[in-house]
Each structure stands twice: as C-alpha cells, then as structure tokens.
Amino acid sequence: MPRQLPPLNALRAFEAAARSESFTRAAEELCVTQGAVSHQVKALEATLGIELFKRERQRLVITDAGREYLNVVRDALDRIAAGTERVLQRQNSGVLTVSTSPDFAAKWLVNRLGRFGEAHPGIDLRISATMHHVDFVREEVDVAVRHGDGNWSGLDAVRLCTEQLFPVCSPKLLSGRNRLAKPSDLLKTPLLHLDDSQAWSQWFDAAGVAGAELSHGLTLNRASMLIDAAIDGQGVALARTTLAAWDLINGRLARPFDLGLKLARTYWIVCPKATSMKPKIATFRDWLLAEAAEDVRRLRKTFAANRTGSRCARSG
C-alpha cells in the first residue's frame, strides 16, 4: 500500500510555526510569505481533519492534538536531516577510484598524492594505472585522466593543461667543455627515442638542423622510462611538458633549448556527465587543476633561471 503522507512543505511550515509560535517568524525562517505558511498549515489541518493551532489575537497557541503531532513531525524531520547529512558526507568522502596511464601515474600523479591526502583526509584514493580507456558503465571507476583530444561521447572532459614536446637531459650536460650550446650539438650526444617516433626529425627541422642522422640511440616503449634514462644521463630525450614537469621543477632534468613543438593532444580529466559535480569528484578535479596551474608557474620560473644560467656560462 502506498504511504499516505502530507506534503513536506506543509510539515515544515507546521513545525516552524509551532516552534516560533508565529506564522510571520516561520515565514522568515523558510524564506516564504506569511500567507504561504498560513495556507500550508490550513491545508495540513484539512488533510488531518484536526485543529493544530488556536489563533488568539496576535499569537498562535498549539492544541493538544497539534503538540502530539509535532513530536511525530519533529522526529521525522530530524531523521531526514541526519540521513541527508550522512549521504552528503559519503558523497564528499570515502573511496574515489581514479584510472590513468602508467606514465601519468608514475611521472606526474604519484609524487603529489601526499598533498592531496593532507588536504582531503576524508577521501581515500584508489589509483588504477592502465593503458586502456576505462568503461565507466562496466567498471567501478569514478574519474579518469586520459590523453587525447578531449572528444569522448557522453563524458565530461576538462583539459588539465596545454603541452609542448622539447628536449630534456641531465643537468650535467649543460656544463663543462662538451656542454650543449646549440641544437646541432645534440647530434654528438646519444638521443633517446620513444618507439619509432619521428618526433626528433620534426624537432630538428623546426630547429633548422638539416640532414640529421637519427638512427642511433636507445629506444624505449614507455615515456616514463625515457625520462628516467635522461635523468640518469644516458642521453637526451624529447618529453611532454606534463610528464617532465616534476623532474624539471626539482632539478633532476634540464631543458637545454627553448624550442618546443606544440602538441594538439594533451591530458583531460574525464568522468560521466551525470556524476561530474559529485562532491568528491569535483574536489579531485579542482585539486588536479590547481596542481597543473602551479606547475606552469614553477616551470616558468625554472626556465627563466636556466636561461640566465646559460647566458652566464657562455659569457664566462
């Protein structure tokens, strides 16, 4: 059998009027007119077939039947309020499962997770590093960080950052007699390659270095391994801004030349449109965007310092 329940607005109007002993004060609390409160209470009395208040001059006096019903209504509203608060707390806390690529997890995300935990102790992150694009319908994943053009049907996608592709190397290669002073100097240095990428040819063309022989050098199939090899001094790699940012900022990598290739594809924060404003997803998205913005600020400062250092080295 369906429940026989009076309208919630009528119950709220009755409870507020009984507590304040005034339709006017109840109306102020509920942000409605005094007439609306009076109408709601009268409608409730008609539904119940009982008188809830005596109207005596400028004062409301609750009846015995009204007082008995008030205890029931107040208990019910308190339970609804408490249950609502628990639901909202769960929405803004608990487990948040994040899917991302192994490269992004290793070179960008993992080093920052301690800061997220300190700022949001109520959210327990579960990071799933995988190459495949998650199916939000079939998999228990809340949000993903994907690399691409941002066009995924039915999904909410927010761009994390813009990116360039540029050479990176160990800071050791920027000093000494054999330091990298001009783009053509790279031809005397081991070049690190990502699979069969033609990126080095494109970069040398943009730098005005013709006829570069690029068949030599170590080839790796993961961008994170490529960057780690560059940090270790095994050669010079071409790296995307996002994946190189942490090591550039912390001095493990250096950028020998300003020239970078603009990239159309970048990282996006992705989730179903229906859950995009879920509090814990919005919290994580805002944190990711704040971290990326801070990277931009710190990278500008780092590159400016590197350019100053290079000019001093050349003048010396």
Side-chain angles (χ1 to χ4, degrees):
M1 293 290 292
R3 293 187 177 91
Q4 294 186 358
L5 299 174
L8 178 60
N9 283 343
L11 296 177
R12 293 180 65 214
F14 164 62
E15 192 275 337
R19 180 162 27 83
S20 63
E21 298 182 340
S22 167
F23 286 157
T24 300
R25 287 194 290 272
E28 291 173 354
E29 177 184 327
L30 299 175
C31 298
V32 296
T33 65
Q34 186 269 349
V37 173
S38 177
H39 175 77
Q40 292 282 3
V41 172
K42 287 179 181 179
L44 181 60
E45 289 178 320
T47 299
L48 299 175
I50 61 175
E51 188 178 37
L52 299 172
F53 295 105
K54 296 287 186 181
R55 282 76 168 173
E56 297 182 358
R57 298 180 183 177
Q58 300 300 316
R59 182 167 171 263
L60 283 180
V61 179
I62 192 167
T63 63
D64 290 341
R67 195 177 307 281
E68 181 181 352
Y69 192 52
L70 176 62
N71 292 332
V72 175
V73 171
R74 183 169 289 165
D75 179 67
L77 292 178
D78 286 345
R79 287 173 179 269
I80 291 171
T84 301
E85 184 176 357
R86 286 194 297 271
V87 168
L88 291 175
Q89 286 177 345
R90 281 196 295 271
Q91 292 289 312
N92 201 29
S93 62
V95 174
L96 182 71
T97 302
V98 181
S99 173
T100 187
S101 70
D103 286 334
F104 184 83
K107 300 308 297 180
W108 195 92
L109 185 58
V110 169
N111 293 317
R112 308 162 191 263
L113 292 180
R115 290 206 290 266
F116 181 85
E118 291 175 1
H120 307 285
I123 300 177
D124 294 324
L125 290 180
R126 300 289 184 270
I127 307 300
S128 174
T130 178
M131 287 302 297
H132 88 278
H133 283 186
V134 64
D135 184 338
F136 288 100
V137 175
R138 294 179 174 83
E139 299 177 54
E140 293 184 359
V141 172
D142 297 296
V143 63
V145 179
R146 289 183 175 177
H147 192 266
D149 59 9
N151 295 317
W152 294 287
S153 178
L155 298 179
D156 180 80
V158 177
R159 184 164 59 185
L160 180 66
C161 57
T162 58
E163 289 196 293
Q164 290 186 333
L165 190 72
F166 48 79
V168 294
C169 62
S170 166
K172 297 175 184 177
L173 297 182
L174 300 186
S175 60
R177 185 172 56 185
N178 297 320
R179 68 177 180 271
L180 299 172
K182 56 186 183 298
S184 60
D185 290 342
L186 290 172
L187 300 177
K188 306 171 187 177
T189 304
L191 300 180
L192 304 173
H193 302 269
L194 183 63
D195 287 337
D196 59 351
S197 172
Q198 298 300 307
W200 270 120
S201 294
Q202 296 170 16
W203 189 88
F204 277 116
D205 286 345
V209 179
E213 173 54 49
L214 305 175
S215 60
H216 67 290
L218 176 65
T219 298
L220 299 138
N221 73 336
R222 293 250 54 88
S224 54
M225 293 192 297
L226 195 77
I227 291 172
D228 287 341
I231 293 171
D232 193 50
Q234 297 181 41
V236 182
L238 282 174
R240 295 198 300 266
T241 310
T242 304
L243 298 186
W246 183 266
D247 293 308
L248 285 166
I249 290 168
N250 289 281
R252 288 184 289 272
L253 277 180
R255 182 174 174 175
F257 307 108
D258 290 341
L259 177 64
L261 303 177
K262 292 183 178 180
L263 298 175
R265 294 162 64 87
T266 186
Y267 287 98
W268 299 76
I269 309 163
V270 183
C271 68
K273 290 182 178 179
T275 61
S276 64
M277 296 312 297
K278 195 173 182 180
K280 61 184 176 182
I281 292 178
T283 295
F284 185 66
R285 179 173 57 242
D286 290 346
W287 176 79
L288 289 174
L289 292 172
E291 285 287 320
E294 179 65 9
D295 277 1
V296 172
R297 186 190 69 80
R298 296 181 68 184
L299 284 173
R300 285 174 180 165
K301 184 177 180 180
T302 299
F303 295 160
N306 287 346
R307 284 193 292 270
T308 300
S310 297
R311 287 195 295 268
C312 291
R314 287 194 295 270
S315 64

